[in-house]
Amino acid sequence: MRLVPRPDERLADFEAQRPRLLRLGYRMLGSFSEAEDVVQEAWLRWARVAEGVDTPAAYLTRIVTRLCLDQMKSARARRETYVGAWLPEPLMGTVDPRDEPVADDLTLTLMLALERLSPLERAAFLLHDVFGVTLADVAITLDRDASAVRQLASRARKHIQVERPRFGVEQADADRIAHAFFAASRDGDVAALSSMLADTVSLHSDGGGKVPAFLNVIDGIAKVLRLFAGLAQKSGYKPVLLRLATIDGLPGYVSMDRGVLQTTALEIREGRIAAVYMTRDPEKLLHVAQMVSDIV
């Protein structure tokens, strides 16, 4: 057993784990603000630890995971009454601008797949497969035996595997596709869009009931083409491209549309855009707004 650490040592131990804890919280909850709240609560609990802890990383991971599991109960209830399509808060390279880029390969598409898992399956998969926690430690965190945790992770893995992209997109190609899609969608260029979109393309738009957005997912190339052609004909519709960006591992960009900030992420499959994810909910774009504040 370690001696009781001094306050500055305890703070240093926590700050060393903070970026990882934020990433875990975000991957569990799909929300920056909720992840920050969870990590802050973890700090308060860590600061009250009366005795030294041999492995701060394992201890803090356990606290954050359990807090997230508690938070997910109310979060799932809120999403049942959410206005329109729900998307996770867009991640542009890092959870915190001060951190190193996220090393895992969970794209926005995979984040949505995680939403379809049970909370325990999601926790087991993230802890073991993404964050490298041993099954024994995951079992302690989830208060389950190792065999049950192994089954949870296995079920989650099979579900997630279906959504993993088979081929990545080089950065230069990602930027080219994102820029071309922005221009074509802005101008309502049906011919250009037809050459980019998959026949089964889907468009998801999340405004959270706070700003205009499409309430339902729009499926199929014909409907998506009609939508952009119609938007281009509306008076005052002239989105402005602020910057190209990688959003939750997908090609995309940040734009401004009639005073509303928006991120757009593009899922590419077999060279075509298979899905478009537009996030417009202002509460989900607070971090993005800070990152582009010098442009707007």
Side-chain angles (χ1 to χ4, degrees), residues 6 50 81 83 85 134 144 147 150 155 177 183 194 199 235 238 259 263-265 286 288:
R6 297 192 305 272
T81 58
V83 178
T134 66
R144 299 289 191 278
S147 61
R150 189 177 294 105
R155 286 200 302 269
I177 292 170
S194 296
D199 290 342
S235 176
K238 206 67 175 177
T263 62
T264 301
L286 295 177
V288 175

Side-chain angles (χ1 to χ4, degrees), residues 65-259:
T65 301
R66 290 174 177 174
L67 288 171
C68 285
L69 288 171
D70 290 340
Q71 183 80 0
M72 289 171 75
K73 297 175 183 177
S74 59
R76 286 183 174 243
R78 290 196 303 272
R79 286 172 198 169
E80 290 178 359
T81 58
Y82 194 79
V83 178
W86 181 92
L87 295 174
E89 292 183 26
L91 175 65
M92 291 173 54
T94 65
V95 173
D96 188 312
R98 296 167 294 181
D99 299 340
E100 292 298 317
V102 176
D104 64 57
D105 63 348
L106 293 186
T107 63
L108 190 152
T109 309
L110 293 177
M111 287 287 290
L112 290 174
L114 287 175
E115 286 293 313
R116 298 193 286 271
L117 303 179
S118 73
L120 288 178
E121 287 173 340
R122 184 166 183 157
F125 173 79
L126 286 171
L127 289 174
H128 183 255
D129 287 42
V130 177
F131 288 87
V133 179
T134 66
L135 281 175
D137 282 341
V138 176
I140 294 172
T141 298
L142 301 184
D143 194 23
R144 299 289 191 278
D145 61 44
S147 61
V149 167
R150 189 177 294 105
Q151 291 177 356
L152 286 170
S154 177
R155 286 200 302 269
R157 196 176 300 118
K158 290 177 182 177
H159 189 85
I160 294 297
Q161 193 64 38
V162 176
E163 300 292 344
R164 284 194 182 277
R166 296 178 62 184
F167 305 102
V169 180
E170 295 294 334
Q171 189 61 53
D173 290 334
D175 290 346
R176 176 183 55 79
I177 292 170
H179 192 277
F181 176 80
F182 169 79
S185 60
R186 176 198 60 199
D187 299 338
D189 188 338
V190 172
L193 288 170
S194 296
S195 69
M196 297 183 224
L197 302 177
D199 290 342
T200 56
V201 65
S202 61
L203 187 148
H204 310 246
S205 179
D206 180 351
K210 306 173 187 69
V211 297
F214 311 118
L215 291 179
N216 300 310
V217 176
I218 299 171
D219 291 311
I221 189 170
K223 292 181 180 179
V224 173
L225 289 175
R226 283 199 299 270
L227 181 147
F228 284 118
L231 283 176
Q233 294 174 6
K234 287 191 174 183
S235 176
Y237 180 74
K238 206 67 175 177
V240 177
L241 179 65
L242 299 180
R243 59 169 289 187
L244 299 176
T246 299
I247 299 170
D248 270 305
L250 300 181
Y253 54 84
V254 184
S255 60
M256 186 72 75
D257 173 17
R258 290 164 290 183

